[in-house]
Amino acid sequence: MRSLLVPVATTMVVGLLVVACASAGSPAAIPTSPPSAPPASPSTSLSPTVTPTATASATPGDNAPPTWIETGSMATARYGHTATLLRDGTVLVVGAGEGQTAELYDPTSGRWATTETMVEGRVNHIATLLSDGKVLVAGGSGSLGLPVASAELYDSASGRWTATGPMLETRANHTATLLPDGTVLVVGGAIDPDGEGVLASAEAYDPGAGSWTAIGEASDARSGHAATLLPDGTALVAGGVGRFVSQSDSRALSAERYHPDMPGWTGALMLEARFGHTLTLLPDGNVLVAGGSGGFGGLLASAELFDPGSGFWTATGGTIEAHAGHTATLLADGMVLVVGGYRSDDLLAAAELYDSSIGSWTATANMVTPRHDHTATPLPDGRVLVVGGSDSSGSLLATAELYDPGSGSETLQRDRR
């Protein structure tokens, strides 16, 4: 398996944490046929709809079991990309693959449209939907394989990209969190392709000014960590650090909370060191951390909960499978869907659901394609779009599939440990 660097994934802002390769190869684009319907704008072109090969999807909530169904494939295979749900319900996927390409997925038709190319190609970057509906993309590894500081904005109204102020530092595998005041908090990341040089610095993007401001450094340098916004407006960052972690590494064990009003940081230790894990804000305000790589590369099936009120972590039920390089998505019914990733040298198609009311996991339908380092995006109709990633051979994937939660689940369950 290729060496991995982990990009961030959060459910509140940009979707889910994704592990990414520091320098992915460029796969050949999948040929497309002329569209059968007019493109969404003069700068877009449509890829064909793929006929589903899985069991037909059920309408959410119609007493049907959960299921996966293949949907249209992207024009470009991607890994270390980002997927952002836009206000009109389409999903913007950018990064990795071939150069500076960007694509839009339309859930109503199951079709992809290529949009204007980015100002700069990148991988292991961040993408954040701003309050005005634009998407901020910043950092990542550029065309030379080195982390960059550049940033740009996507305007869905025009389908165009424009450069904005660069970050104060080059960084890749960092996190970004949209704060209540509309600014974007960026934390940590790596400053070299191998992920050895790791940052403790943090900075904030002001959309009005189009510029970045340095804020107080976190207590620990970290890369491949995860972050999410908490209900009180603070931001939680946790775990990460580099290619390998150990239980004695305080950076992989630590979690910190940024308080915009102070401003400043407060911290606490997780129960286990983690890298390649996910953070998910639950409806009750607690945060679920699941899976990842633990001490010296061992994969974790454990999960724990962070209580923002007390600032403490407590163990909860472990996942049925050990996952790293997976995604975690909050569903409309409050359940958390964990999908795919790797386990030792095997890739997983497995998917499972966490029920916070009882603190346990239940197996659900498997994906059509085993994959890791993909993205998972919750759609307005309750389905989840899973895109790209890598397969067992290390090849990048252009395929996409949809999870329809239906209203049922399998009976496999692991009780709270």
Side-chain angles (χ1 to χ4, degrees):
M1 180 174 293
R2 67 180 73 190
S3 61
L4 298 176
L5 290 176
V6 183
V8 157
T10 75
T11 55
M12 284 293 294
V13 183
V14 295
L16 300 100
L17 301 236
V18 190
V19 184
C21 176
S23 57
S26 297
I30 295 178
T32 60
S33 59
S36 59
S41 73
S43 61
T44 62
S45 60
L46 293 173
S47 61
T49 301
V50 171
T51 301
T53 58
T55 303
S57 176
T59 302
D62 67 354
N63 295 319
T67 186
W68 291 88
I69 187 168
E70 290 182 311
T71 187
S73 292
M74 296 182 291
T76 300
R78 301 178 188 273
Y79 178 104
H81 54 291
T82 54
T84 308
L85 179 66
L86 304 181
R87 287 182 173 178
D88 63 2
T90 61
V91 179
L92 174 71
V93 173
V94 300
E98 293 188 331
Q100 301 153 257
T101 62
E103 304 184 51
L104 290 168
Y105 177 75
D106 181 354
T108 61
S109 66
R111 296 166 66 91
W112 292 87
T114 57
T115 189
E116 185 180 71
T117 56
M118 302 169 67
V119 176
E120 182 172 2
R122 59 188 81 226
V123 60
N124 300 339
H125 51 282
I126 59 91
T128 307
L129 182 67
L130 303 178
S131 302
D132 63 2
K134 294 181 180 179
V135 178
L136 170 71
V137 170
S141 295
S143 58
L144 299 178
L146 300 174
V148 298
S150 64
E152 51 193 290
L153 295 169
Y154 177 75
D155 184 347
S156 59
S158 64
R160 299 189 178 281
W161 294 89
T162 57
T164 188
M167 295 187 295
L168 303 179
E169 297 193 68
T170 61
R171 54 182 92 219
N173 294 315
H174 45 302
T175 57
T177 307
L178 181 68
L179 299 177
D181 65 359
T183 61
V184 179
L185 171 70
V186 164
V187 180
I191 58 175
D192 61 70
D194 295 326
E196 300 298 334
V198 179
L199 298 169
S201 63
E203 51 188 290
Y205 177 75
D206 180 349
S211 61
W212 299 80
T213 302
I215 59 176
E217 287 197 347
S219 301
D220 288 309
R222 62 183 81 233
S223 174
H225 49 292
T228 191
L229 183 71
L230 300 178
D232 65 359
T234 61
L236 176 69
V237 297
V241 71
R243 214 178 272 168
F244 303 102
V245 301
S246 71
Q247 288 291 351
S248 62
D249 193 324
S250 63
R251 296 174 295 179
L253 276 166
S254 74
E256 301 184 62
R257 197 167 169 180
Y258 177 70
H259 302 261
D261 296 337
M262 294 172 42
W265 297 85
T266 57
L269 295 180
M270 292 190 294
L271 302 181
E272 293 193 72
R274 298 176 188 271
F275 172 83
H277 54 292
T278 53
L279 284 183
T280 309
L281 180 67
L282 301 176
D284 63 5
N286 290 333
V287 177
L288 172 71
V289 61
S293 176
F296 305 104
L299 301 184
L300 300 173
S302 62
E304 47 191 292
L305 294 169
F306 177 72
D307 180 350
S310 67
F312 292 117
W313 294 86
T314 57
T316 188
T319 54
I320 298 167
E321 299 275 3
H323 297 258
H326 57 287
T327 55
T329 308
L330 182 67
L331 303 181
D333 62 1
M335 304 281 273
V336 178
L337 174 71
V338 163
V339 178
Y342 55 90
R343 175 192 57 194
S344 185
D345 290 329
D346 297 329
L347 288 190
L348 295 171
E352 44 192 297
L353 297 167
Y354 177 75
D355 184 343
S356 60
S357 67
I358 56 177
S360 65
W361 297 83
T362 303
T364 188
N366 286 351
M367 287 191 296
V368 176
T369 303
R371 62 183 81 217
H372 71 95
D373 308 323
H374 47 283
T375 56
T377 308
L379 301 176
D381 63 5
R383 296 179 299 169
V384 177
L385 173 69
V386 167
V387 174
S390 178
D391 65 14
S392 57
S393 70
S395 299
L396 307 185
L397 295 171
T399 59
E401 49 189 296
L402 292 164
Y403 176 75
D404 186 335
S407 61
S409 65
E410 298 177 25
T411 57
L412 295 175
Q413 179 171 306
R414 176 170 293 178
D415 294 331
R416 182 188 296 269
R417 290 180 174 177

